[in-house]
Amino acid sequence: MTRYSALAITTSYWNPNTDYTEKIVNALQDKIEDGDFVVVSEKAISTALGNLVDESVFKSSWLARVLARIWMRFFWGYSLGILCVFGQRLLVRLRNYPLEAGGRHKQVTLQYAGFWQALMFGSEGGIDGSNLAYSYVGLPLNNAKILAKKIQEQIRNRLQKKVCLLIADTDKTYKFRNFFFTPRPNPLPGIHSFGGIFTYTIGRMFGLKRSSTPLSVAGCCLGAYEALKITNIADKARGPGSGATVWDMAARFHTEIDEVTWEMLSAIKHKPIVIVRRIQ
C-alpha cells in the first residue's frame, strides 16, 4: 500500500487581486521535489481572483425567505440535520438560522446555483462564505482545469520541478464501493456530480466514506481514487483556516457572521497549499 507524507505551507491571506501564482511559486521554493503533488485550495484562488459576490446588496425573494425561515430552521434544524448526524451545536445554529442574512444568502444561491442546490444547508453549489470577510461569498471556479495547468507550468518553468498540481474544494465526495459521487458541481472526471441535497443526505445518513473533492489535475494522469486520497490527506494537513463554517469563523473572532474583516482574516495563519509526497 502506498504511503504519503504531507506538508501544509503557511502563507499570508490571499486578498482579492493577490498574485496567487507568485505566492505559490515563492512558497514552494526549496520545498518540492520532482513527482510531488501540490494541492491548492479552490477557495483561496477564487478569493485572489475576486470571484466573489457581496450578499449585502441582494434583496431576498419570497422563496429565499421561505428557505431561510422554514426549510433551514425546521427541516435542517430537526429532521434532516438529525438524519445527517449533525452535532448538537450545529443543530442549534440551524434552528436559529439568521433570517435576514440567511435570506440574502439563499437568494444568491438561487440565482447562481439553482433551486436544488439552494436546498443544501451550506456551500450550496460550491458557494461558500467561510474564510471571507463581511457578507462576501466565494463562487466556484468555472475554469479550474486551465488555472491548474497555468500554475503547474509556472512551477515547472521557474522552479525546474515537475509536480502534479491539484485544485481541490472541501465539499465532500462520497464513496460507495468503487463509485464516487458528490453534490458539488464540476468535480474531477471519474467523480459523479448529481442529486444536490439528496446526494448529500444519503452520503451522510449512511455514513459513507467521504473526502474533499478534487476539481482539476495538471502535470500527471491521476485517477479519481488516488486524487481523492491525495486531496483528503491535504485537507487534513491544511485544517479549517479561520473556521469550518461561517459560524465557527465568527465565533473565533467573537463577532457576528457578517462583521469579520479582512484585517481579522489576515491576522491568522492560512495554509492554502499542501505538498503531498509518496513515501517509498
PDB file of all heavy atoms in Angstrom, residues 166-192:
ATOM      1  N   LEU A 166      -2.991  19.895  -8.190  1.00  0.00           N
ATOM      2  CA  LEU A 166      -4.427  19.650  -7.993  1.00  0.00           C
ATOM      3  C   LEU A 166      -5.080  20.875  -7.373  1.00  0.00           C
ATOM      4  O   LEU A 166      -4.515  21.481  -6.448  1.00  0.00           O
ATOM      5  CB  LEU A 166      -4.679  18.457  -7.068  1.00  0.00           C
ATOM      6  CG  LEU A 166      -4.257  17.070  -7.524  1.00  0.00           C
ATOM      7  CD1 LEU A 166      -2.806  16.794  -7.143  1.00  0.00           C
ATOM      8  CD2 LEU A 166      -5.159  16.005  -6.916  1.00  0.00           C
ATOM      9  N   ILE A 167      -6.234  21.243  -7.883  1.00  0.00           N
ATOM     10  CA  ILE A 167      -7.084  22.236  -7.234  1.00  0.00           C
ATOM     11  C   ILE A 167      -8.238  21.472  -6.591  1.00  0.00           C
ATOM     12  O   ILE A 167      -8.870  20.613  -7.236  1.00  0.00           O
ATOM     13  CB  ILE A 167      -7.611  23.276  -8.228  1.00  0.00           C
ATOM     14  CG1 ILE A 167      -6.450  24.094  -8.807  1.00  0.00           C
ATOM     15  CG2 ILE A 167      -8.621  24.212  -7.558  1.00  0.00           C
ATOM     16  CD1 ILE A 167      -6.868  25.091  -9.879  1.00  0.00           C
ATOM     17  N   ALA A 168      -8.503  21.748  -5.304  1.00  0.00           N
ATOM     18  CA  ALA A 168      -9.488  20.959  -4.568  1.00  0.00           C
ATOM     19  C   ALA A 168     -10.398  21.851  -3.738  1.00  0.00           C
ATOM     20  O   ALA A 168     -10.030  22.964  -3.343  1.00  0.00           O
ATOM     21  CB  ALA A 168      -8.784  19.949  -3.664  1.00  0.00           C
ATOM     22  N   ASP A 169     -11.580  21.324  -3.472  1.00  0.00           N
ATOM     23  CA  ASP A 169     -12.567  22.008  -2.642  1.00  0.00           C
ATOM     24  C   ASP A 169     -12.864  21.143  -1.425  1.00  0.00           C
ATOM     25  O   ASP A 169     -12.810  19.906  -1.502  1.00  0.00           O
ATOM     26  CB  ASP A 169     -13.843  22.242  -3.450  1.00  0.00           C
ATOM     27  CG  ASP A 169     -14.898  23.008  -2.679  1.00  0.00           C
ATOM     28  OD1 ASP A 169     -14.523  23.786  -1.779  1.00  0.00           O
ATOM     29  OD2 ASP A 169     -16.093  22.831  -2.966  1.00  0.00           O
ATOM     30  N   THR A 170     -13.204  21.763  -0.307  1.00  0.00           N
ATOM     31  CA  THR A 170     -13.501  20.999   0.909  1.00  0.00           C
ATOM     32  C   THR A 170     -14.873  20.322   0.857  1.00  0.00           C
ATOM     33  O   THR A 170     -15.148  19.461   1.690  1.00  0.00           O
ATOM     34  CB  THR A 170     -13.441  21.897   2.161  1.00  0.00           C
ATOM     35  OG1 THR A 170     -14.322  23.010   1.969  1.00  0.00           O
ATOM     36  CG2 THR A 170     -12.026  22.400   2.395  1.00  0.00           C
ATOM     37  N   ASP A 171     -15.734  20.703  -0.090  1.00  0.00           N
ATOM     38  CA  ASP A 171     -17.011  19.997  -0.235  1.00  0.00           C
ATOM     39  C   ASP A 171     -16.746  18.513  -0.454  1.00  0.00           C
ATOM     40  O   ASP A 171     -15.796  18.144  -1.150  1.00  0.00           O
ATOM     41  CB  ASP A 171     -17.803  20.552  -1.423  1.00  0.00           C
ATOM     42  CG  ASP A 171     -18.421  21.895  -1.113  1.00  0.00           C
ATOM     43  OD1 ASP A 171     -18.226  22.393   0.001  1.00  0.00           O
ATOM     44  OD2 ASP A 171     -19.080  22.457  -1.996  1.00  0.00           O
ATOM     45  N   LYS A 172     -17.612  17.678   0.091  1.00  0.00           N
ATOM     46  CA  LYS A 172     -17.298  16.257   0.176  1.00  0.00           C
ATOM     47  C   LYS A 172     -17.757  15.435  -1.029  1.00  0.00           C
ATOM     48  O   LYS A 172     -18.811  15.670  -1.615  1.00  0.00           O
ATOM     49  CB  LYS A 172     -17.916  15.658   1.444  1.00  0.00           C
ATOM     50  CG  LYS A 172     -17.422  16.309   2.731  1.00  0.00           C
ATOM     51  CD  LYS A 172     -15.898  16.331   2.823  1.00  0.00           C
ATOM     52  CE  LYS A 172     -15.425  17.001   4.093  1.00  0.00           C
ATOM     53  NZ  LYS A 172     -13.958  17.175   4.108  1.00  0.00           N
ATOM     54  N   THR A 173     -16.902  14.469  -1.344  1.00  0.00           N
ATOM     55  CA  THR A 173     -17.242  13.389  -2.269  1.00  0.00           C
ATOM     56  C   THR A 173     -17.423  12.120  -1.445  1.00  0.00           C
ATOM     57  O   THR A 173     -16.636  11.855  -0.527  1.00  0.00           O
ATOM     58  CB  THR A 173     -16.127  13.184  -3.309  1.00  0.00           C
ATOM     59  OG1 THR A 173     -16.125  14.279  -4.224  1.00  0.00           O
ATOM     60  CG2 THR A 173     -16.328  11.894  -4.090  1.00  0.00           C
ATOM     61  N   TYR A 174     -18.437  11.329  -1.785  1.00  0.00           N
ATOM     62  CA  TYR A 174     -18.747  10.105  -1.046  1.00  0.00           C
ATOM     63  C   TYR A 174     -18.386   8.881  -1.879  1.00  0.00           C
ATOM     64  O   TYR A 174     -18.427   8.917  -3.119  1.00  0.00           O
ATOM     65  CB  TYR A 174     -20.231  10.080  -0.667  1.00  0.00           C
ATOM     66  CG  TYR A 174     -20.613  11.235   0.210  1.00  0.00           C
ATOM     67  CD1 TYR A 174     -21.075  12.429  -0.338  1.00  0.00           C
ATOM     68  CD2 TYR A 174     -20.476  11.164   1.598  1.00  0.00           C
ATOM     69  CE1 TYR A 174     -21.402  13.511   0.462  1.00  0.00           C
ATOM     70  CE2 TYR A 174     -20.801  12.238   2.403  1.00  0.00           C
ATOM     71  CZ  TYR A 174     -21.260  13.403   1.833  1.00  0.00           C
ATOM     72  OH  TYR A 174     -21.569  14.482   2.623  1.00  0.00           O
ATOM     73  N   LYS A 175     -18.033   7.814  -1.184  1.00  0.00           N
ATOM     74  CA  LYS A 175     -17.610   6.581  -1.852  1.00  0.00           C
ATOM     75  C   LYS A 175     -18.537   5.433  -1.476  1.00  0.00           C
ATOM     76  O   LYS A 175     -18.761   5.172  -0.293  1.00  0.00           O
ATOM     77  CB  LYS A 175     -16.175   6.234  -1.443  1.00  0.00           C
ATOM     78  CG  LYS A 175     -15.643   4.929  -2.022  1.00  0.00           C
ATOM     79  CD  LYS A 175     -14.221   4.690  -1.552  1.00  0.00           C
ATOM     80  CE  LYS A 175     -13.629   3.420  -2.143  1.00  0.00           C
ATOM     81  NZ  LYS A 175     -14.306   2.201  -1.661  1.00  0.00           N
ATOM     82  N   PHE A 176     -19.070   4.758  -2.503  1.00  0.00           N
ATOM     83  CA  PHE A 176     -19.825   3.523  -2.298  1.00  0.00           C
ATOM     84  C   PHE A 176     -19.194   2.466  -3.190  1.00  0.00           C
ATOM     85  O   PHE A 176     -19.331   2.504  -4.403  1.00  0.00           O
ATOM     86  CB  PHE A 176     -21.296   3.711  -2.639  1.00  0.00           C
ATOM     87  CG  PHE A 176     -22.109   2.452  -2.479  1.00  0.00           C
ATOM     88  CD1 PHE A 176     -22.378   1.956  -1.209  1.00  0.00           C
ATOM     89  CD2 PHE A 176     -22.568   1.769  -3.591  1.00  0.00           C
ATOM     90  CE1 PHE A 176     -23.119   0.788  -1.060  1.00  0.00           C
ATOM     91  CE2 PHE A 176     -23.307   0.609  -3.442  1.00  0.00           C
ATOM     92  CZ  PHE A 176     -23.584   0.114  -2.172  1.00  0.00           C
ATOM     93  N   ARG A 177     -18.438   1.564  -2.575  1.00  0.00           N
ATOM     94  CA  ARG A 177     -17.641   0.584  -3.310  1.00  0.00           C
ATOM     95  C   ARG A 177     -16.688   1.337  -4.238  1.00  0.00           C
ATOM     96  O   ARG A 177     -15.849   2.075  -3.766  1.00  0.00           O
ATOM     97  CB  ARG A 177     -18.544  -0.416  -4.018  1.00  0.00           C
ATOM     98  CG  ARG A 177     -19.378  -1.252  -3.031  1.00  0.00           C
ATOM     99  CD  ARG A 177     -20.236  -2.273  -3.729  1.00  0.00           C
ATOM    100  NE  ARG A 177     -20.990  -3.059  -2.735  1.00  0.00           N
ATOM    101  CZ  ARG A 177     -21.881  -3.952  -3.037  1.00  0.00           C
ATOM    102  NH1 ARG A 177     -22.156  -4.236  -4.320  1.00  0.00           N
ATOM    103  NH2 ARG A 177     -22.516  -4.623  -2.070  1.00  0.00           N
ATOM    104  N   ASN A 178     -16.810   1.147  -5.548  1.00  0.00           N
ATOM    105  CA  ASN A 178     -15.919   1.851  -6.476  1.00  0.00           C
ATOM    106  C   ASN A 178     -16.623   2.998  -7.185  1.00  0.00           C
ATOM    107  O   ASN A 178     -16.183   3.437  -8.260  1.00  0.00           O
ATOM    108  CB  ASN A 178     -15.353   0.865  -7.511  1.00  0.00           C
ATOM    109  CG  ASN A 178     -14.424  -0.146  -6.874  1.00  0.00           C
ATOM    110  OD1 ASN A 178     -13.621   0.192  -5.999  1.00  0.00           O
ATOM    111  ND2 ASN A 178     -14.525  -1.398  -7.305  1.00  0.00           N
ATOM    112  N   PHE A 179     -17.692   3.485  -6.585  1.00  0.00           N
ATOM    113  CA  PHE A 179     -18.468   4.574  -7.173  1.00  0.00           C
ATOM    114  C   PHE A 179     -18.300   5.826  -6.318  1.00  0.00           C
ATOM    115  O   PHE A 179     -18.534   5.795  -5.105  1.00  0.00           O
ATOM    116  CB  PHE A 179     -19.945   4.169  -7.243  1.00  0.00           C
ATOM    117  CG  PHE A 179     -20.824   5.178  -7.928  1.00  0.00           C
ATOM    118  CD1 PHE A 179     -20.788   5.347  -9.300  1.00  0.00           C
ATOM    119  CD2 PHE A 179     -21.708   5.956  -7.188  1.00  0.00           C
ATOM    120  CE1 PHE A 179     -21.604   6.261  -9.930  1.00  0.00           C
ATOM    121  CE2 PHE A 179     -22.526   6.876  -7.800  1.00  0.00           C
ATOM    122  CZ  PHE A 179     -22.478   7.026  -9.187  1.00  0.00           C
ATOM    123  N   PHE A 180     -17.891   6.933  -6.951  1.00  0.00           N
ATOM    124  CA  PHE A 180     -17.645   8.184  -6.238  1.00  0.00           C
ATOM    125  C   PHE A 180     -18.680   9.215  -6.687  1.00  0.00           C
ATOM    126  O   PHE A 180     -18.878   9.411  -7.888  1.00  0.00           O
ATOM    127  CB  PHE A 180     -16.235   8.709  -6.536  1.00  0.00           C
ATOM    128  CG  PHE A 180     -15.154   7.693  -6.292  1.00  0.00           C
ATOM    129  CD1 PHE A 180     -14.541   7.039  -7.355  1.00  0.00           C
ATOM    130  CD2 PHE A 180     -14.757   7.372  -5.007  1.00  0.00           C
ATOM    131  CE1 PHE A 180     -13.548   6.098  -7.138  1.00  0.00           C
ATOM    132  CE2 PHE A 180     -13.776   6.433  -4.776  1.00  0.00           C
ATOM    133  CZ  PHE A 180     -13.165   5.785  -5.844  1.00  0.00           C
ATOM    134  N   PHE A 181     -19.308   9.886  -5.735  1.00  0.00           N
ATOM    135  CA  PHE A 181     -20.344  10.846  -6.098  1.00  0.00           C
ATOM    136  C   PHE A 181     -20.345  12.024  -5.131  1.00  0.00           C
ATOM    137  O   PHE A 181     -19.949  11.903  -3.970  1.00  0.00           O
ATOM    138  CB  PHE A 181     -21.717  10.179  -6.147  1.00  0.00           C
ATOM    139  CG  PHE A 181     -22.173   9.580  -4.846  1.00  0.00           C
ATOM    140  CD1 PHE A 181     -23.051  10.263  -4.023  1.00  0.00           C
ATOM    141  CD2 PHE A 181     -21.735   8.321  -4.444  1.00  0.00           C
ATOM    142  CE1 PHE A 181     -23.496   9.715  -2.815  1.00  0.00           C
ATOM    143  CE2 PHE A 181     -22.175   7.763  -3.250  1.00  0.00           C
ATOM    144  CZ  PHE A 181     -23.056   8.455  -2.437  1.00  0.00           C
ATOM    145  N   THR A 182     -20.800  13.158  -5.621  1.00  0.00           N
ATOM    146  CA  THR A 182     -20.774  14.392  -4.841  1.00  0.00           C
ATOM    147  C   THR A 182     -21.917  15.316  -5.270  1.00  0.00           C
ATOM    148  O   THR A 182     -22.322  15.293  -6.434  1.00  0.00           O
ATOM    149  CB  THR A 182     -19.435  15.131  -5.044  1.00  0.00           C
ATOM    150  OG1 THR A 182     -19.440  16.353  -4.282  1.00  0.00           O
ATOM    151  CG2 THR A 182     -19.190  15.482  -6.509  1.00  0.00           C
ATOM    152  N   PRO A 183     -22.432  16.140  -4.355  1.00  0.00           N
ATOM    153  CA  PRO A 183     -23.402  17.170  -4.750  1.00  0.00           C
ATOM    154  C   PRO A 183     -22.722  18.391  -5.363  1.00  0.00           C
ATOM    155  O   PRO A 183     -23.387  19.257  -5.916  1.00  0.00           O
ATOM    156  CB  PRO A 183     -24.074  17.534  -3.427  1.00  0.00           C
ATOM    157  CG  PRO A 183     -23.038  17.244  -2.385  1.00  0.00           C
ATOM    158  CD  PRO A 183     -22.284  16.045  -2.891  1.00  0.00           C
ATOM    159  N   ARG A 184     -21.404  18.434  -5.287  1.00  0.00           N
ATOM    160  CA  ARG A 184     -20.635  19.589  -5.753  1.00  0.00           C
ATOM    161  C   ARG A 184     -20.521  19.559  -7.285  1.00  0.00           C
ATOM    162  O   ARG A 184     -20.079  18.575  -7.861  1.00  0.00           O
ATOM    163  CB  ARG A 184     -19.239  19.514  -5.135  1.00  0.00           C
ATOM    164  CG  ARG A 184     -18.409  20.756  -4.956  1.00  0.00           C
ATOM    165  CD  ARG A 184     -18.201  21.580  -6.103  1.00  0.00           C
ATOM    166  NE  ARG A 184     -17.251  22.660  -5.838  1.00  0.00           N
ATOM    167  CZ  ARG A 184     -16.746  23.382  -6.815  1.00  0.00           C
ATOM    168  NH1 ARG A 184     -17.082  23.168  -8.055  1.00  0.00           N
ATOM    169  NH2 ARG A 184     -15.903  24.360  -6.529  1.00  0.00           N
ATOM    170  N   PRO A 185     -20.921  20.632  -7.989  1.00  0.00           N
ATOM    171  CA  PRO A 185     -20.824  20.638  -9.457  1.00  0.00           C
ATOM    172  C   PRO A 185     -19.371  20.612  -9.945  1.00  0.00           C
ATOM    173  O   PRO A 185     -18.457  21.093  -9.271  1.00  0.00           O
ATOM    174  CB  PRO A 185     -21.489  21.963  -9.844  1.00  0.00           C
ATOM    175  CG  PRO A 185     -22.293  22.371  -8.662  1.00  0.00           C
ATOM    176  CD  PRO A 185     -21.561  21.851  -7.465  1.00  0.00           C
ATOM    177  N   ASN A 186     -19.181  20.024 -11.113  1.00  0.00           N
ATOM    178  CA  ASN A 186     -17.911  20.056 -11.853  1.00  0.00           C
ATOM    179  C   ASN A 186     -16.710  19.490 -11.110  1.00  0.00           C
ATOM    180  O   ASN A 186     -15.660  20.128 -11.019  1.00  0.00           O
ATOM    181  CB  ASN A 186     -17.609  21.497 -12.300  1.00  0.00           C
ATOM    182  CG  ASN A 186     -18.719  22.100 -13.136  1.00  0.00           C
ATOM    183  OD1 ASN A 186     -19.248  21.445 -14.027  1.00  0.00           O
ATOM    184  ND2 ASN A 186     -19.088  23.325 -12.829  1.00  0.00           N
ATOM    185  N   PRO A 187     -16.817  18.279 -10.588  1.00  0.00           N
ATOM    186  CA  PRO A 187     -15.645  17.657  -9.971  1.00  0.00           C
ATOM    187  C   PRO A 187     -14.737  17.052 -11.029  1.00  0.00           C
ATOM    188  O   PRO A 187     -15.019  17.129 -12.245  1.00  0.00           O
ATOM    189  CB  PRO A 187     -16.270  16.562  -9.101  1.00  0.00           C
ATOM    190  CG  PRO A 187     -17.470  16.145  -9.888  1.00  0.00           C
ATOM    191  CD  PRO A 187     -18.003  17.409 -10.533  1.00  0.00           C
ATOM    192  N   LEU A 188     -13.656  16.435 -10.598  1.00  0.00           N
ATOM    193  CA  LEU A 188     -12.740  15.745 -11.488  1.00  0.00           C
ATOM    194  C   LEU A 188     -13.478  14.618 -12.215  1.00  0.00           C
ATOM    195  O   LEU A 188     -14.318  13.944 -11.620  1.00  0.00           O
ATOM    196  CB  LEU A 188     -11.586  15.166 -10.656  1.00  0.00           C
ATOM    197  CG  LEU A 188     -10.381  14.607 -11.412  1.00  0.00           C
ATOM    198  CD1 LEU A 188      -9.560  15.740 -11.990  1.00  0.00           C
ATOM    199  CD2 LEU A 188      -9.524  13.758 -10.463  1.00  0.00           C
ATOM    200  N   PRO A 189     -13.157  14.374 -13.507  1.00  0.00           N
ATOM    201  CA  PRO A 189     -13.752  13.225 -14.199  1.00  0.00           C
ATOM    202  C   PRO A 189     -13.518  11.932 -13.421  1.00  0.00           C
ATOM    203  O   PRO A 189     -12.447  11.709 -12.869  1.00  0.00           O
ATOM    204  CB  PRO A 189     -13.000  13.208 -15.538  1.00  0.00           C
ATOM    205  CG  PRO A 189     -12.640  14.643 -15.775  1.00  0.00           C
ATOM    206  CD  PRO A 189     -12.317  15.194 -14.408  1.00  0.00           C
ATOM    207  N   GLY A 190     -14.546  11.089 -13.380  1.00  0.00           N
ATOM    208  CA  GLY A 190     -14.496   9.869 -12.577  1.00  0.00           C
ATOM    209  C   GLY A 190     -15.278  10.015 -11.285  1.00  0.00           C
ATOM    210  O   GLY A 190     -15.571   9.018 -10.614  1.00  0.00           O
ATOM    211  N   ILE A 191     -15.609  11.260 -10.929  1.00  0.00           N
ATOM    212  CA  ILE A 191     -16.475  11.547  -9.783  1.00  0.00           C
ATOM    213  C   ILE A 191     -17.799  12.057 -10.336  1.00  0.00           C
ATOM    214  O   ILE A 191     -17.833  12.989 -11.142  1.00  0.00           O
ATOM    215  CB  ILE A 191     -15.847  12.596  -8.849  1.00  0.00           C
ATOM    216  CG1 ILE A 191     -14.487  12.116  -8.335  1.00  0.00           C
ATOM    217  CG2 ILE A 191     -16.773  12.915  -7.692  1.00  0.00           C
ATOM    218  CD1 ILE A 191     -13.714  13.166  -7.576  1.00  0.00           C
ATOM    219  N   HIS A 192     -18.874  11.462  -9.926  1.00  0.00           N
ATOM    220  CA  HIS A 192     -20.188  11.772 -10.482  1.00  0.00           C
ATOM    221  C   HIS A 192     -20.873  12.860  -9.650  1.00  0.00           C
ATOM    222  O   HIS A 192     -20.984  12.742  -8.432  1.00  0.00           O
ATOM    223  CB  HIS A 192     -21.049  10.516 -10.534  1.00  0.00           C
ATOM    224  CG  HIS A 192     -20.420   9.394 -11.308  1.00  0.00           C
ATOM    225  ND1 HIS A 192     -20.545   9.261 -12.677  1.00  0.00           N
ATOM    226  CD2 HIS A 192     -19.624   8.362 -10.907  1.00  0.00           C
ATOM    227  CE1 HIS A 192     -19.888   8.209 -13.084  1.00  0.00           C
ATOM    228  NE2 HIS A 192     -19.308   7.635 -12.028  1.00  0.00           N
TER     229      HIS A 192
END
